Amino acid sequence: VTQVAWAKSRRSLMVSARQVVVLLLHLLVVSCTQVELLHLTDLHWDWDYQVGGHTWELCRYGSTGDAKVYGNVDCASPFRLLKDTFTAMKQQNDPKYIMWMGDTMRWGQDPFAGHDSVTSHIQNITIELLETFPDAVVIPQLGNHDVVPAHQMGVGPGYWLYDEVWPIWQQWLPASAEETFKKGGYYTMNLVFADGTSLLVVAANSVLWYETNESHMFADDPADQFAWLNGVLSSARAAGQKAIFLAHVPPGVQIHSKYVTLFQQVLQNYADVIISGFYGHNHEDSFIMVYDNETDTKPVGVGFASPSILPSVRPHNPAYRIFNVDTASMTLTDFVTYFAELDQANAQGALVYNIEYTGTSDFGLKDASPASMHDLYQRLCTNETLFRQYCFYYGTSYNGDGMSTNADNCNDEQLCMIRYINHDDYNSCLKGKKTVTR
């Protein structure tokens, strides 16, 4: 017993020392030309969550069940998890730029939930973010659960969701965003940094292209979004401006086959403009590569799907991510994932976020550019030890009940998802007809 206790204590000291080293290295990297973007996604707040609730009733009813104060891996998020997460982000990072990627509503929606339920969820979380981060620039997005019925997001003008959410979010967005937001939930805005440089935010609404959104499945270009994307990115290229691309649902097999190629082509055609993509929806920690249209071998783009605050659907720890952008070169230089050990938080009654890993330190990346992430992808294909480590981070280092669900989900299919956006290519990869060396 003494040896076990000593081992745990030694590991705790090693983790603490590593945290200090990583933080010091992180501070050395951050200079006057570095800005940090905080990536926050998939909160899935359930305002009916009840501590002591039963998991078979989605943790909403009962007093003797397994629903704990900070959540359960079988249920949506309690408010305490979200509020204490925001407090931790403020204390540890004090972010100036927050990418809030949608899915604020609980994922186990009631079939009779109304419009007011959606807007109330969004409004309450908006208030919490405003109170916690009064000086931050927040870039908000809608997810496929931020609508009723779930996934069935429509087009405007005159669409209830966009019309009701715009007044809630207009304090963060430029007036010029109102027309496109009310048309299709998409917009652009400029981030202007202290050194005078700027970065264009292209906030797309990929829920319009989501595979289970049947509200306009016969439209060639729902809400004219593809035409708009080509226009704003072409203008950015002409002006010599770089951009980040945001969307809730990442490119790949979850995008309807009618739209996935168009989505891919936008990322390929404007790879010289888009420095990186940022996505939510998947709940796990992953990335997506974009290759050139001519040979499909040259890495030209990369997107990051950050892990969720919600600890369920597939069991994992709550997590968020910080991305570093060098404003002099307009490149992504690194990323740091912060996570809270859910079981420990519930046992101790306190939510503590620590650094889980950094891209450069733990994966040996030069930076977070397409070339560096392509190099990582190649190493994941050939190095089993590295791939297992990736899978551990994929589930945000969760070791509790149900962890095998995440381990089983992180297999060669993940490599196919990283490599191929197009449905046919992805399916060929699964069948072994596309190259994934293992």
Side-chain angles (χ1 to χ4, degrees), residues 62-88:
S63 58
T64 59
D66 294 327
K68 306 300 183 183
V69 64
Y70 286 111
N72 182 287
V73 295
D74 291 316
C75 299
S77 301
F79 183 72
R80 178 76 177 274
L81 170 63
L82 308 184
K83 187 174 182 64
D84 286 11
T85 292
F86 297 163
T87 299

Side-chain angles (χ1 to χ4, degrees), residues 333-360:
T333 57
D334 204 357
F335 53 90
V336 183
T337 301
Y338 289 79
F339 81 118
E341 294 191 52
L342 182 65
D343 292 344
Q344 182 183 81
N346 281 326
Q348 298 179 354
L351 190 71
V352 179
Y353 277 87
N354 290 308
I355 291 176
E356 181 187 24
Y357 77 97
T358 67
T360 53

Side-chain angles (χ1 to χ4, degrees), residues 250-267:
V253 294
Q254 297 184 84
I255 299 295
H256 194 284
S257 57
K258 186 179 181 70
Y259 307 121
V260 69
T261 299
L262 294 171
F263 192 174
Q264 182 179 24
Q265 287 173 348
V266 167
L267 301 177

Side-chain angles (χ1 to χ4, degrees), residues 269-291:
N269 293 343
Y270 297 99
D272 59 319
V273 177
I274 301 169
I275 67 171
S276 185
F278 299 99
Y279 308 104
H281 186 67
N282 289 348
H283 298 184
E284 287 84 27
D285 184 337
S286 58
F287 66 101
I288 306 100
M289 294 300 306
V290 180
Y291 293 90

Side-chain angles (χ1 to χ4, degrees), residues 26 29-30 34-41 93 95 97 99 101 193 199 244 275-279 285-287 302-307 320-326 331-338 357 359 365 367-369 373:
H26 184 57
V29 169
V30 177
Q34 293 273 332
V35 296
E36 295 183 342
L37 308 177
L38 188 146
H39 199 194
L40 172 70
T41 191
N93 311 106
Y97 305 95
M99 300 179 290
M101 302 300 297
F193 305 121
L199 184 63
I244 53 175
I275 67 171
S276 185
F278 299 99
Y279 308 104
D285 184 337
S286 58
F287 66 101
V302 65
F304 296 89
S306 287
Y320 65 89
R321 198 137 58 172
I322 296 286
F323 289 90
N324 296 331
V325 177
D326 181 75
T331 56
L332 215 62
T333 57
D334 204 357
F335 53 90
V336 183
T337 301
Y338 289 79
Y357 77 97
L365 299 174
D367 49 34
S369 66
M373 298 308 294

Side-chain angles (χ1 to χ4, degrees), residues 184-263:
Y186 55 83
Y187 62 90
T188 61
M189 64 186 291
N190 270 304
L191 302 182
V192 180
F193 305 121
D195 61 359
T197 59
S198 65
L199 184 63
L200 179 68
V201 176
V202 179
N205 182 6
S206 58
V207 180
L208 295 179
W209 313 321
Y210 187 40
E211 61 177 349
T212 57
N213 186 353
E214 300 176 354
S215 61
H216 41 71
M217 60 188 300
F218 300 110
D220 291 331
D221 187 4
D224 301 320
Q225 186 172 205
F226 285 118
W228 172 80
L229 283 170
N230 281 290
V232 297
L233 289 167
S234 178
S235 296
R237 175 185 286 153
Q241 189 173 25
K242 298 296 184 181
I244 53 175
F245 188 99
L246 277 63
H248 178 72
V249 184
V253 294
Q254 297 184 84
I255 299 295
H256 194 284
S257 57
K258 186 179 181 70
Y259 307 121
V260 69
T261 299
L262 294 171
F263 192 174

Side-chain angles (χ1 to χ4, degrees), residues 103 148 164 180 211 214 333 366 390:
D103 268 7
V148 289
E164 292 183 20
T180 57
E211 61 177 349
E214 300 176 354
T333 57
K366 177 183 177 183
Y390 171 82

